[in-house]
Amino acid sequence: MSKKREDQGTNLLYKLIGEARGYDDVIVMGRGDPDFDTPAHIVAAAKEAMIHHHADYSPPAGLPALREAIAERVKRVNNIDVDPASEVVVTNGGQEALFLMVLATVGAGDEMIVPEPNYTTYADSLDFAGATKVEVQTWPQEDFRADPALVRAAVTERTRALLLVSPNNPCASVISPGDMRELLDIAIERDLMILSDEIYDLFVYDDFAHTSPAALPGGKERTLTLNALSKSYSMTGWRLGWITGPADLMARVTELKAATTGGASVISQYAGIAALTGPQEPVEMMAAAYRRRRRLVLDALDEMGMKYGLPQGGQFVFADIAFTGLDSAEVAQRMLTEQHVLAYPGSAFSKDRKDYLRMTFLQPEDKLIEGLERMKVAMQGIMAGR
Amino acid sequence: MSSASKAYLLNWHKANRALNTPLPAQTMRHSADFSADEAISPLDERIIASASEAMEAGQTHYVDVPGIAPLRAALADFLNSACGSAFGASNIIVTAGVQEARFLTIQKIGELFDSIGVPAVAHPGVQKALGVRKRHVVSLPVDDARGYLPTIDGIAAAVADGCRLLYLESPSRLSGAAYAADEVAAICQIVNEHDAAVIWDQGLSPWVAGDYSSLTALESTPTRIAVLSDGWPGMGLSSWFLGAIAAPEEWVAPMQSQKQIMAICTATASQYAALEASQLYSESQAGRLAQLGQQREALLQAAAAADLEVVAGGALNIVALRASAGGEAALEKLRGVGADGADFGAPDTIRLTISAATASALA
């Protein structure tokens, strides 16, 4: 691996995570791992499964009961009708879902349109597939809106798919219903597949609303939709996600799933059934906490005079640090080394976002407050040393 | 969707025969299913207690990409004590089952070489992993009489012809046949003479009664070798999807990076369960092998009575059968309950999982 690759994207983030582990008092505002423990009834279901179902066979697409629960969930939350037997594949988290969706839709020489900035793993997965990421820029003054006109202009003869991440990671924008319709129309006109990453669909703020392209007329047959339990049920360690989509393409996704990891742990799958079919109050509690924390972070950034695109959804804020005059990788490194606060540099998400930091609000409020205080000290130090 | 794009995608995937190779179940679907890689095993209550304790203590979050540190150390110890290798924890990546181990090694180590030599008869997961992103594959001829292991001459010819990466199963995932010590030494010599590298799947070695010769345990063991392991088979964790790769650290880094891209980490509960299994394994393995030995003997008698030929093999968890004269009908009947050898590359063979019920089902 070249030095250049070591200091970019996913590798850069993991380098920072590794260093953060070395600080006992670190405040993590980087990684997207909710601070809440998995709700007790889900853990209890997993324990029951160990006793009664430890050796159950799971086909690569997942346990039928879990696929049914997923089908019910995507109908209830996303208004998408899917057949659990043929249109759902269970994955090892959203990350595997993302990887499989990319492998299913593009190959060497193909192009995928990706509104920027975006989650690092999409670039990694496209690299693996030998496909090209075609970036469409977004701007903070428009709250990082993915402009359909720019998307349309980016389509070429080699474009196979359009990636839509809403709420977006890292910039927390939400695609409006009108823009979503327009983006789908482009996909229909230009015969593109849509990859829809909806992992933060339960966390949308103020008056913004989540829209699934597969729920719109003409959308389902050309859309692969991913989701996971990691963020919504605080189940990152269980590695459980899913893809839904049209049956013919999902048959290919199933083969890819079998080829890469074979299946998902049955214990995690039983935990997933409990999450989706059990009480949903824990999710509402976490969503309420994220609303409060978001406000707290935004107020602190306002106080520091930092600009940001308004987080319309998700669990983070993408803040402008151009005033420091430094590359975000350097700012993140100094915040970590000097103040033991981990935030992610925007340059890890896009070469054009060296002026941004991504900060999650996945810490208890007292820790968040302390983290923001330390961040303020770090910024003052940076400014004083300029 | 009437789309040309979608039709193109579907045709593209459907034409990929390697990717569409059927994969055997990792564990028996029910008591009359003998097609699986592993029989159903009981789960020790201490494993349940340990995994539960970890979950209740909040071990429900992401963990390190290559696995939790004590499990990596336990896997290194497991490989070293069983096969005489010298791996450390930093050489280990915990994988989401052995198929992820196949995929990571074939794809990421494969990137470093122009071609990969693969047995003409191997686990279908090998073809599937190769099918995701095509590599130049050199087919290694196998010896039917040696349980479909690649011939030493075939390996030598492939390496001499420029193939510098070999994928070898010992024991064979179809027959359970393992290379003898002199054969392993011969492979080692070929590899070292040509500065070649090896992905060595020894996942079935815990099922071999008696001595097992690993390519990792020689004085002149190749420096570039990655080992695939099933973890602690027989401990009731096959449906929890836990496997491992042991490899030089310079190979661990790119595979770890790819694992992060694919799945971030292996399920936390599976890792804590496996950690406990590592402590208990030695208590029960000898008894498990003795029981399987008896079940295998009964199965061999039933096979002989049905005019079925047993393919040479040393692992006690599976048996591969071919039809002797007059045994075609019996073999045909097994197609519905066993793993079809055609998926491994041996169409005239059926593989059966050895369990308490296999012999009586055959009879």
Side-chain angles (χ1 to χ4, degrees):
Chain A
M1 189 185 298
S2 70
K3 179 80 174 73
K4 192 175 169 210
R5 286 292 296 165
E6 281 176 12
D7 287 344
Q8 288 179 347
T10 309
N11 292 315
L12 172 57
L13 300 185
Y14 274 79
K15 181 170 162 273
L16 293 170
I17 290 170
E19 184 179 335
R21 281 205 192 92
Y23 302 123
D24 290 341
D25 62 344
V26 71
I27 295 180
V28 177
M29 296 171 64
R31 199 171 197 183
D33 190 353
D35 55 311
F36 298 104
D37 286 335
T38 300
H41 74 279
I42 298 172
V43 172
K47 288 163 66 177
E48 274 295 301
M50 288 187 216
I51 296 166
H52 300 295
H53 300 288
H54 80 272
D56 281 10
Y57 164 71
S58 172
L63 292 171
L66 177 57
R67 283 184 274 159
E68 285 175 19
I70 291 167
E72 192 280 326
R73 188 272 190 198
V74 300
K75 176 63 181 169
R76 173 169 46 85
V77 176
N78 307 106
N79 197 29
I80 307 170
D81 285 301
V82 294
D83 172 19
S86 62
E87 296 182 327
V88 180
V89 170
V90 175
T91 60
N92 286 302
Q95 192 91 336
E96 190 185 33
L98 176 167
F99 185 64
L100 296 177
M101 290 203 314
V102 169
L103 290 181
T105 49
V106 293
D110 292 337
E111 293 177 354
M112 183 180 291
I113 294 175
V114 181
E116 287 288 303
N118 221 296
Y119 183 43
T120 56
T121 304
Y122 277 106
D124 298 327
S125 298
L126 286 163
D127 273 353
F128 185 90
T132 303
K133 182 174 76 163
V134 176
E135 300 178 359
V136 170
Q137 292 301 324
T138 64
W139 289 274
Q141 54 270 35
E142 295 180 1
D143 290 326
F144 298 103
R145 171 182 178 242
D147 186 341
L150 296 180
V151 170
R152 186 185 294 279
V155 178
T156 73
E157 290 303 309
R158 295 164 68 186
T159 309
R160 292 247 170 257
L162 168 60
L163 171 67
L164 301 175
V165 184
S166 179
N168 181 280
N169 178 8
C171 58
S173 58
V174 171
I175 299 174
S176 71
D179 280 353
M180 189 63 87
R181 180 68 254 179
E182 228 177 305
L183 291 164
L184 175 57
D185 287 343
I186 294 167
I188 293 170
E189 286 166 27
R190 302 304 299 266
D191 193 17
L192 310 178
M193 296 295 301
I194 291 178
L195 276 59
S196 183
D197 179 342
E198 305 184 8
I199 196 165
Y200 295 103
D201 63 353
L202 295 182
F203 304 113
V204 177
Y205 307 110
D206 303 331
D207 295 327
F208 297 98
H210 173 74
T211 308
S212 298
L216 301 177
K220 183 188 163 184
E221 57 267 39
R222 66 178 63 246
T223 303
L224 292 176
T225 305
L226 85 74
N227 215 314
L229 302 179
S230 298
K231 316 296 183 184
S232 46
Y233 294 86
S234 201
M235 291 179 68
T236 51
W238 302 78
R239 311 311 307 130
L240 209 64
W242 64 81
I243 304 170
T244 57
D248 45 9
L249 200 50
M250 291 305 291
R252 313 334 300 165
V253 171
T254 304
E255 294 298 342
L256 286 164
K257 166 69 180 149
T260 50
T261 55
S265 160
V266 290
I267 302 306
S268 291
Q269 292 193 59
Y270 278 102
I273 293 168
L276 292 171
T277 62
Q280 300 301 301
E281 286 81 2
V283 179
E284 290 159 19
M285 179 276 291
M286 287 187 260
Y290 297 144
R291 280 194 293 274
R292 287 194 305 274
R293 295 174 183 182
R294 167 181 173 267
R295 190 67 265 158
L296 191 154
V297 172
L298 296 184
D299 287 348
L301 295 181
D302 289 342
E303 197 181 320
M304 284 186 245
M306 287 175 71
K307 295 176 186 167
Y308 50 83
L310 182 70
Q312 299 167 344
Q315 298 171 333
F316 24 73
V317 57
F318 206 49
D320 188 338
I321 53 151
F323 67 90
T324 64
L326 299 180
D327 185 299
S328 59
E330 188 175 347
V331 173
Q333 183 65 61
R334 287 187 61 173
M335 278 175 55
L336 181 58
T337 306
E338 295 169 12
Q339 292 297 323
H340 299 181
V341 174
L342 175 63
Y344 279 175
S347 56
F349 298 94
S350 167
K351 64 183 183 339
D352 297 322
R353 305 296 172 170
K354 292 177 179 171
D355 293 342
Y356 288 85
L357 282 180
R358 191 194 81 168
M359 290 165 285
T360 61
F361 30 90
L362 300 174
Q363 290 288 334
E365 288 175 33
D366 56 339
K367 273 198 165 186
L368 267 185
I369 290 166
E370 188 184 338
L372 289 160
E373 279 299 319
R374 289 193 206 173
M375 181 179 162
K376 191 193 283 183
V377 173
M379 291 296 176
Q380 285 166 349
I382 288 168
M383 295 306 289
R386 277 207 313 181
Chain B
M1 183 178 181
S2 59
S3 102
S5 266
K6 190 168 168 189
Y8 166 83
L9 280 174
L10 293 173
N11 287 333
W12 173 46
H13 286 302
K14 282 176 182 165
N16 188 342
R17 289 181 59 196
L19 179 62
N20 294 316
T21 307
L23 199 64
Q26 83 283 0
T27 192
M28 295 166 72
R29 296 171 174 85
H30 48 76
S31 60
D33 168 28
F34 308 111
S35 67
D37 288 340
E38 188 176 325
I40 295 171
S41 304
L43 184 65
D44 192 297
E45 60 187 23
R46 288 170 289 181
I47 294 176
I48 298 174
S50 183
S52 298
E53 188 181 337
M55 287 190 292
E56 285 169 355
Q59 294 293 351
T60 57
H61 296 268
Y62 292 130
V63 293
D64 288 349
V65 176
I68 58 174
L71 181 60
R72 295 173 78 193
L75 280 159
D77 286 348
F78 173 65
L79 290 168
N80 296 344
S81 61
C83 302
S85 49
F87 292 113
S90 60
N91 298 117
I92 303 292
I93 299 176
V94 179
T95 60
V98 75
Q99 183 60 26
E100 187 182 46
R102 283 190 192 101
F103 180 84
L104 287 172
T105 51
I106 286 171
Q107 289 293 340
K108 296 309 288 184
I109 299 173
E111 278 180 359
L112 306 173
F113 297 86
D114 293 333
S115 61
I116 179 170
V118 173
V121 175
H123 192 279
V126 176
Q127 286 302 319
K128 288 192 87 75
L130 284 164
V132 171
R133 195 176 55 162
K134 286 287 173 63
R135 313 229 68 85
H136 178 212
V137 177
V138 176
S139 181
L140 303 174
V142 297
D143 183 351
D144 294 4
R146 277 290 284 121
Y148 300 116
L149 290 171
T151 63
I152 304 302
D153 288 348
I155 292 171
V159 174
D161 205 29
C163 179
R164 291 292 183 268
L165 176 63
L166 302 169
Y167 185 99
L168 298 171
E169 294 176 347
S170 180
S172 157
R173 293 273 180 177
L174 175 60
S175 69
Y179 283 116
D182 60 330
E183 294 170 309
V184 174
I187 293 169
C188 181
Q189 188 176 347
I190 294 164
V191 168
N192 286 338
E193 277 177 5
H194 293 85
D195 193 25
V198 185
I199 301 167
W200 180 262
D201 177 1
Q202 61 180 45
L204 296 191
S205 62
W207 300 115
V208 174
D211 293 338
Y212 169 73
S213 294
S214 171
L215 189 60
T216 65
L218 305 175
E219 273 185 26
S220 54
T221 284
T223 52
R224 296 191 299 171
I225 181 168
V227 173
L228 272 55
S229 169
D230 290 14
W232 295 272
M235 297 300 290
L237 295 174
S238 62
S239 294
W240 299 40
F241 287 93
L242 192 125
I245 301 166
E249 287 183 32
E250 64 267 28
W251 280 0
V252 167
M255 289 192 286
Q256 180 175 322
S257 191
Q258 182 62 32
K259 178 166 174 68
Q260 195 284 327
I261 291 164
M262 286 168 55
I264 299 182
C265 60
T266 299
T268 310
S270 295
Q271 295 198 48
Y272 280 94
L275 186 59
E276 183 66 20
S278 74
Q279 307 293 316
L280 307 175
Y281 178 73
S282 59
E283 284 181 13
S284 52
Q285 178 64 355
R288 221 169 5 254
L289 288 178
Q291 188 178 45
L292 281 170
Q294 292 169 3
Q295 291 166 355
R296 181 181 166 87
E297 278 308 309
L299 179 54
L300 298 191
Q301 288 174 22
D307 294 324
L308 293 170
E309 175 198 349
V310 176
V311 178
L316 297 176
N317 64 318
I318 52 171
V319 68
L321 302 171
R322 288 187 290 241
S324 304
E328 292 82 1
L331 193 74
E332 211 46 45
K333 279 185 187 171
L334 290 177
R335 287 201 187 278
V337 296
D340 191 340
D343 299 333
F344 293 70
D348 60 347
T349 304
I350 298 292
R351 188 191 74 176
L352 297 179
T353 321
I354 296 179
S355 73
T358 318
S360 53
L362 180 58

